[in-house]
Amino acid sequence: MMKYQLLALSAFCSFQRMCTAFPSTLSVASPLRACESRVLTKGSSSDDSSSVSDEVLQSLKAKLDQSKSEAAEDVKPVEKDNKSMAFLRKIGRVGGAANKNFVNVVGSDEGSTGRQPPASRSTASGPRKAKEAYTECTVMGTIDDMQDPFPLTSSGTEWRGISDRVMGGISQGFIKRETDLEGRSANVLTGHVSLANGGGFVQMVTDLALDPQMNSVDASGFDGIEVDVLCRHEPRKFNVHLRTPGTFQQASYRYTHTLESEGKWELVRIPFSSFEGYGEKDMGALDTSTLRRVGIVAIGEEMDVFLGVAGIRFYTVF
């Protein structure tokens, strides 16, 4: 409203100046003269009307500027949810990692005995080597050193994801390849584990045999399995699951480990004797001569998951 008043008064002052220049052309009884009487102070003449009107305009402009300043002070900036942004950055959904491809882990179930489709390839993964260029993991002991294009392993197999959704759960997660996670190339499992509907896990897995017809490898010449792992979630726990061709649905040999610190790489060595059967009665000891699959798992507790793996190998104690 004040804006329109200023415009009207500006037009009025211009008209008044015209009245002074051409007095014979305008009637004193015109409506604008009536308006003039409201603006001029009592007893003022038409000769000083212009200066008085300018003073009124300056006063109104000052009031308008003051109103704008007060209105700006009333607008408060929206406070950022620093905790939410910190978590999104932590799991790679914002920041540099947000530009990398994520692959939904919902896929095959824990109990499948056949090979399942791998995680989708990133467009930046590069060409795949010929099958003859790979060496089976039991020859050199290396399952994956994360140097081949995702989702390939350095032993010629492929990573894929599994969640509890195939059994009615609502956990969700993603697997991806980070090329510089605290200085190392790594597979990263992110997401949320929910215990609703009897579920409670997400995992990344790979088969071990280079030849699909073999279905398993003989790792009896090794003493255990070791993993280079980093986590950014609480609790700082993760599981390693091993399966053989004889294990049934939801059954596997499992080991649970709690990391010493958050956000730092740790080498975790697990003797084969530490794996315990889960999911069936009388499973017996793990038969390392017929290992079919290995999985890195977040399981058993409500948690927001960030789990990185930079290497996984068999080891021997000399």
Side-chain angles (χ1 to χ4, degrees), residues 110-113 241-244 247-248 251-252 290-293:
E110 172 69 12
S112 176
T113 56
H241 291 185
L242 295 174
R243 289 179 56 82
T244 65
T247 52
F248 293 100
S252 59
T290 58
L291 294 183
R292 185 178 66 83
R293 193 176 81 184

Side-chain angles (χ1 to χ4, degrees), residues 66-142:
Q66 183 179 0
S67 298
K68 289 181 178 179
S69 177
E70 292 175 352
E73 291 178 357
D74 290 338
V75 179
K76 296 181 179 180
V78 179
E79 294 183 359
K80 295 182 179 179
D81 187 350
N82 293 328
K83 291 184 178 180
S84 297
M85 289 301 294
F87 172 70
L88 290 174
R89 188 174 293 106
K90 184 177 180 180
I91 67 173
R93 300 305 294 273
V94 296
N99 297 323
K100 301 181 185 299
N101 290 333
F102 285 74
V103 181
N104 198 308
V105 306
V106 177
S108 57
D109 67 285
E110 172 69 12
S112 176
T113 56
R115 292 195 172 218
Q116 299 296 323
S120 300
R121 288 181 175 83
S122 166
T123 55
S125 294
R128 177 174 181 171
K129 295 186 296 187
K131 183 179 178 181
E132 293 75 17
Y134 290 97
T135 303
E136 192 164 80
C137 59
T138 52
V139 176
M140 301 297 293
T142 301

